[in-house]
Amino acid sequence: VTVSVLYCWRQKMLWLYVPLALVAVPVLASLVLVHRVPRLDVKGKVVLLTGGSAGIGLELAVALVAKGARVAIAARRRAVLEEAVAEIKKRSGVSDDNTISFVEMDVADPDSVAKGVDKVRFWAKADIDVCICNAGYSLPSRFLDIPQRHQTGMVDVNFHGCANVCRAVLPRMYERKAGRVVLVSSMAGTAPVAGFTVYGATKAAIRAFAQSLDMESAARGVRV
Ligand SMILES: NC(=O)c1ccc[n+]([C@@H]2O[C@H](COP(=O)([O-])OP(=O)(O)OC[C@H]3O[C@@H](n4cnc5c(N)ncnc54)[C@H](OP(=O)(O)O)[C@@H]3O)[C@@H](O)[C@H]2O)c1
């Protein structure tokens, strides 16, 4: 568009601006509309939030409950989940068990994910509207100092964990032609730094996975 505008200007063919605008405006507008991710309104929505018992997930849970969402936090350790639910209730001022709950889930284990997702639907008596895949971990260390089990572990939790949860929630979202999935990546995935070789790779993978999955899902009413 810019080249055409400059060319017409130089050639003093300003009348060409009219047909150019007639073509360019609808094309640009449709590109914006297709790629625009609509604003997420969580009021009254059922949210599954993995890794919601600590750190960023816990803060997100407090914010979501304060905005009127019904939130089920998921993580592996029951005692920590129970403490987190108590803290979320205290900080959000919402003490209703219908608004905040927890499920034990290991995102790296597809069976545990499937069971956890069923439990959330049973608790909510509704389908999951929003799924936030936040569970993840890093082990800042030089590559050769990362134990093999953590190399595999980071891929299993950070990447497969997101994919496992998406696999469990997406079919119902597609059926309903509604839903939102949020995958938590990291700057380490876009601006790699020393000490985050495997972690950065898992977060770059999540970004690519999310972009590709969004292209597949948008036409089915679900945004990623
Ligand atoms: N903190 C940062 O500076 C930062 C920066 C960029 C991106 N991130 C990303 O943001 C997300 C949250 O980070 P954070 O720092 O808040 O982490 P965090 O404080 O260590 O909390 C991690 C949460 O994930 C859960 N979790 C870990 N492994 C799990 C598994 N296999 N299955 C289910 N839940 C699991 C933990 O509970 P259990 O251990 O009980 O399972 C906990 O609730 C991660 O994906 C991280 O990569 C963090």
Side-chain angles (χ1 to χ4, degrees):
V1 170
T2 311
V3 170
S4 310
V5 166
L6 289 176
Y7 181 77
C8 296
W9 181 265
R10 279 182 70 100
Q11 299 298 317
K12 299 201 175 7
M13 296 192 299
L14 299 186
W15 57 271
L16 263 176
Y17 281 180
V18 176
L20 194 63
L22 286 175
V23 174
V25 170
V27 168
L28 291 176
S30 51
L31 279 175
V32 169
L33 283 176
V34 165
H35 290 286
R36 189 179 63 99
V37 179
R39 203 180 143 79
L40 179 59
D41 179 10
V42 293
K43 196 169 168 51
K45 296 280 195 308
V46 176
V47 181
L48 165 61
L49 170 58
T50 72
S53 64
I56 293 170
L58 180 59
E59 297 303 317
L60 259 177
V62 173
L64 288 163
V65 169
K67 283 181 179 288
R70 299 177 64 204
V71 182
I73 58 170
R76 292 164 303 178
R77 291 168 295 167
R78 187 182 182 91
V80 183
L81 281 162
E82 283 171 346
E83 270 176 40
V85 166
E87 184 178 336
I88 294 161
K89 283 180 176 172
K90 194 172 153 195
R91 286 176 55 193
S92 64
V94 179
S95 57
D96 181 4
D97 286 338
N98 273 323
T99 302
I100 174 74
S101 186
F102 71 85
V103 283
E104 287 170 75
M105 180 192 290
D106 181 351
V107 295
D109 173 2
D111 289 338
S112 167
V113 171
K115 280 183 196 142
V117 165
D118 281 346
K119 280 185 191 162
V120 175
R121 290 188 182 123
F122 183 76
W123 161 75
K125 296 180 186 66
D127 275 322
I128 293 163
D129 299 299
V130 180
C131 176
I132 305 177
C133 301
N134 163 74
Y137 82 101
S138 65
L139 188 77
S141 191
R142 288 188 193 94
F143 174 60
L144 293 180
D145 295 333
I146 299 172
Q148 178 73 43
R149 69 189 170 88
H150 281 297
Q151 178 184 314
T152 315
M154 276 185 266
V155 176
D156 283 349
V157 175
N158 299 358
F159 176 66
H160 289 300
C162 286
N164 291 338
V165 175
C166 287
R167 204 176 273 282
V169 299
L170 279 174
R172 292 276 273 270
M173 287 185 175
Y174 287 160
E175 269 174 35
R176 296 166 54 223
K177 293 197 184 334
R180 187 73 72 91
V181 175
V182 178
L183 305 178
V184 177
S185 179
S186 166
M187 284 301 289
T190 39
V193 280
F196 291 92
T197 47
V198 178
Y199 176 75
T202 64
K203 292 299 183 179
I206 288 173
R207 204 178 174 81
F209 177 74
Q211 287 170 343
S212 183
L213 192 59
D214 183 55
M215 288 173 198
E216 288 181 16
S217 306
R220 307 176 80 170
V222 178
R223 297 307 301 259
V224 180

